[in-house]
Amino acid sequence: TKELIVLTPYETLMQGLLHRLQTSQGALPDRPEFGSRIPSVLGQDFGALTAPMNGAKAEEALRNDPRISSVSSVLAVQDMDA
């Protein structure tokens, strides 16, 4: 049998934010503001300027989340193993 896993409030927030970042902005017809512009560039080969540009896209998506009151900084790094 499968058990129900209860998440902490922090885990619920992190799961929701990850979902927002991985969803293309405009993908949900009833919530066009939900999502980010990051999925459109995933899997592409990037140069040195890509991580900062994606950091800016992530910051924009986080600022649009009503659960987030402020974003002090975002650090985006390229995963060399991916």
Side-chain angles (χ1 to χ4, degrees):
T1 65
K2 293 186 179 186
E3 295 183 29
L4 178 65
I5 298 173
V6 179
L7 300 177
T8 66
Y10 175 79
E11 290 169 327
T12 301
L13 175 63
M14 291 298 104
Q15 184 181 51
L17 294 177
L18 184 60
H19 179 68
R20 177 179 285 274
L21 293 173
Q22 292 177 330
T23 301
S24 293
Q25 192 169 24
L28 303 177
D30 58 332
R31 296 186 60 200
E33 78 290 347
F34 185 86
S36 75
R37 295 182 298 140
I38 294 172
S40 64
V41 296
L42 290 178
Q44 296 180 13
D45 189 24
F46 297 119
L49 296 178
T50 303
M53 289 180 353
N54 285 335
K57 291 175 184 178
E59 182 177 350
E60 175 187 35
L62 294 173
R63 288 183 190 277
N64 286 333
D65 193 295
R67 299 168 290 186
I68 304 294
S69 61
S70 67
V71 178
S72 58
S73 67
V74 173
L75 175 63
V77 295
Q78 185 173 357
D79 183 358
M80 301 307 283
D81 294 329

